[in-house]
């Protein structure tokens, strides 16, 4: 491991603590005034470098706690609402499938797959285009447009039309997850990101509680519009409203957050400075893209996400159909999927909280995959001709399997905590979601019409993928442990060669924090397991 090349900058005056309220103040200048940054650093460095400088401002612990609560109340509700809407709109098809939706058989699989094809094709372009624009504005426009696309499903009449709409819906939603992960990374410290990602992902899972309830209510509608069409209209309008909220109220970064004072903006940047991950940089850096695909962990994560994505693709399209196959009616199936995802939502929040407390993602991914393994083995073990007589056991297996819901958001959190350099973070997140899309495309064909009603081959495939996932978690855990040992050795070598004191080390970390260096090039960047 070689040491990071430190960039130079004019020294700032040392800030001091205001004993009255814990704020940073400066004896000769207003708080937040930064040194003159070199032109090279201004271009290559993180956006926060130009705002906060290369040396840290100091704030006391109580001040930072109050600021974190303020950020939570202004940022997290919007992120939760976004992910709630995104997952709800993607999964309307599952509700519609047992509400009179006109497309059935293998064409239904094709329409389910169309979403992920659009998602795959547009994943990388949308992230690199979005890097050039204000994040929240880019996201808000996409949400409003996809809301309109959702409502257009109600006037569609044939397979080509539905396929095209689902394809464009996938394109529009491709920017959501990577953008939300970037937002969490710029606002929250490494040991806070798992729980925050868990919060907005729980918004994802709560869609089945709300969506199932709305779909159940709509089935009683006897007007001129078919119930499944009314569902698309109502939920599409909700997405448009969500997009307006995001566009006008979600800040693009801490530097332009209207709910923060200038001092609080500086403090928000200082909260994440020593995590060495940076906040934002509009320049697309080719070397960071190359490094992403040379990093062995990128390919281990590729396999992990494939193991998660294939079951997701099948579950998103077939969850209600499979529940109905146990012997329930259509309305009962809609209701029974509500507690299933409520359990998953609880597990996601708990998993995110635990991962931040113990600073470990992969161990928890492994542990949380066990319920899927057990649940799917139960479903495979029950013969198809005995489903109705064992529907209680099968429903328990389905509910228990959803305790594995934290696996994917914990992979999100792993990415957010283990990638440095803005272009690399964008690339890592995009590739993760691209892989998830590939897995989901495959997953839409894991349950084929010929396998109905038990779909045993598809469920057996999920058992095999889950076992592979558990092995890969151990490999990823070991890789980060090894990298951290190398980083510590490199740091110690630098300290000895330069005779640095602990104060010198802190200054070097502060300099490196907003230089937009990647995790592999920044010697001070440490990994989360």
């Amino acid at each position: 491991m070689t040491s990071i090349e430190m960039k130079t900058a004019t020294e700032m005056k040392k800030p001091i603590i205001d004993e009255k309220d814990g704020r940073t103040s400066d004896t000769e200048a207003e708080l937040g005034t930064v040194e003159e940054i070199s032109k090279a650093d201004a271009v290559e460095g993180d956006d926060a470098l130009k705002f906060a400088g290369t040396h840290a401002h100091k704030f006391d612990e109580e001040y930072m706690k109050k600021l974190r609560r303020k950020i939570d109340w202004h940022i997290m509700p919007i992120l939760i609402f976004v992910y709630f809407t995104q997952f709800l709109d993607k999964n309307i098809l599952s509700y519609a499938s047992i509400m009179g939706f006109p497309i059935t058989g293998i064409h239904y699989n094709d329409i389910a797959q169309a979403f992920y094809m659009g998602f795959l094709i547009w994943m990388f372009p949308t992230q690199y285009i979005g890097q050039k624009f204000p994040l929240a504005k880019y996201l808000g426009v996409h949400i409003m447009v996809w809301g309109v696309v959702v409502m257009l499903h109600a006037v569609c009449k044939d397979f080509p039309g539905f396929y095209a709409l689902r394809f464009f819906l996938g394109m529009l939603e491709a920017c959501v997850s990577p953008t939300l992960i970037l937002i969490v990374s710029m606002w929250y410290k490494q040991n806070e990101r798992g729980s925050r990602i868990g919060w907005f992902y729980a918004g994802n899972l709560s869609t089945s509680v709300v969506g199932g309830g709305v779909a159940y209510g709509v089935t009683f509608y006897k007007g001129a519009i078919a119930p499944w069409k009314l569902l698309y209209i109502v939920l599409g309008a909700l997405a448009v409203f969500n997009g307006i909220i995001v566009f006008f109220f979600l800040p693009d970064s801490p530097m332009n957050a209207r709910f923060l004072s200038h001092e609080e903006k500086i403090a928000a940047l200082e909260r994440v400075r020593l995590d060495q991950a940076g906040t934002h940089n509009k320049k697309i850096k080719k070397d960071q893209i190359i490094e992403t695909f040379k990093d062995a962990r990128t390919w281990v994560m590729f396999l992990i996400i494939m193991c998660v994505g294939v079951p997701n693709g099948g579950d998103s399209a077939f969850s209600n159909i499979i529940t109905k196959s146990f012997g329930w009616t259509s309305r009962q199936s809609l209701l029974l999927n509500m507690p299933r995802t409520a359990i998953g939502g609880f597990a996601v929040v708990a998993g995110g909280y635990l991962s931040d407390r113990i600073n470990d993602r992969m161990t928890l991914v492994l542990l949380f995959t066990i319920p899927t393994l057990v649940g799917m083995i139960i479903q495979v073990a029950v013969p198809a001709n005995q489903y109705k007589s064992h529907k209680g056991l099968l429903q328990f297996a389905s509910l228990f399997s959803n305790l594995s819901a934290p696996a994917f958001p914990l992979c999100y959190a792993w990415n957010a905590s283990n990638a440095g350099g803005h272009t690399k973070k964008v690339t890592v997140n995009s590739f993760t979601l691209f892989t998830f899309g590939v897995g989901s495309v495959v997953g839409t064909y894991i349950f084929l019409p010929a396998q109905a009603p038990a779909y045993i081959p598809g469920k057996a495939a999920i058992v095999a993928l889950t076992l592979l996932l558990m092995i890969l978690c151990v490999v990823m855990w070991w890789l980060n442990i090894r990298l951290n040992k190398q980083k510590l050795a490199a740091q110690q070598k630098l300290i000895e060669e330069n005779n640095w004191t602990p104060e010198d080390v802190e200054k070097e970390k502060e300099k490196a924090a907003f230089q937009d260096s990647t995790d592999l090039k920044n010697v001070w960047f440490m990994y989360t397991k």
Side-chain angles (χ1 to χ4, degrees), residues 327-487:
W328 309 106
T329 67
S330 294
R331 285 177 177 168
Q332 287 172 334
S333 298
L334 290 169
L335 292 176
L336 286 167
N337 263 322
M338 293 166 65
R340 173 175 169 268
T341 49
I343 291 169
F346 169 78
V348 164
V349 173
Y353 173 79
L354 285 173
S355 75
D356 283 344
R357 294 281 294 189
I358 65 174
N359 200 35
D360 191 331
R361 316 293 192 212
M362 280 298 140
T363 300
L364 290 175
V365 172
L366 188 153
L367 292 175
F368 275 110
T369 56
I370 293 173
T372 287
L373 186 64
V374 174
M376 283 298 165
I377 288 173
I378 291 172
Q379 292 187 49
V380 169
V382 176
N385 60 2
Q386 296 181 27
Y387 262 33
K388 289 188 177 180
S389 60
H390 291 86
K391 63 182 180 181
L393 174 63
L394 292 166
Q395 192 61 39
F396 165 78
S398 178
L399 292 172
F400 188 65
S401 294
N402 235 46
L403 285 171
S404 296
F408 189 48
L410 284 172
C411 290
Y412 277 167
W414 190 95
N415 281 349
S417 300
N418 288 292
H422 190 74
T423 299
K424 184 172 182 179
K425 287 189 288 186
V426 167
T427 307
V428 166
N429 292 335
S430 298
F431 189 59
T432 297
L433 269 295
F434 177 86
T435 306
F436 184 70
V438 172
S440 296
V441 167
V442 175
T444 57
Y445 293 99
I446 201 169
F447 301 125
L448 296 172
Q451 300 173 6
Y455 300 102
I456 297 298
K459 293 173 183 177
I462 292 174
V463 170
L465 288 168
T466 303
L467 289 170
L468 176 59
L469 171 60
M470 297 170 82
I471 295 169
L472 291 167
C473 287
V474 175
V475 173
M476 187 69 94
W477 186 89
W478 176 79
L479 285 171
N480 268 11
I481 291 291
R482 188 185 66 167
L483 283 170
N484 276 343
K485 288 180 179 178
Q486 293 173 352
K487 289 288 185 92

Side-chain angles (χ1 to χ4, degrees), residues 35 80 127 226 314 410:
E35 74 278 18
I80 291 168
Q127 293 312 304
L410 284 172

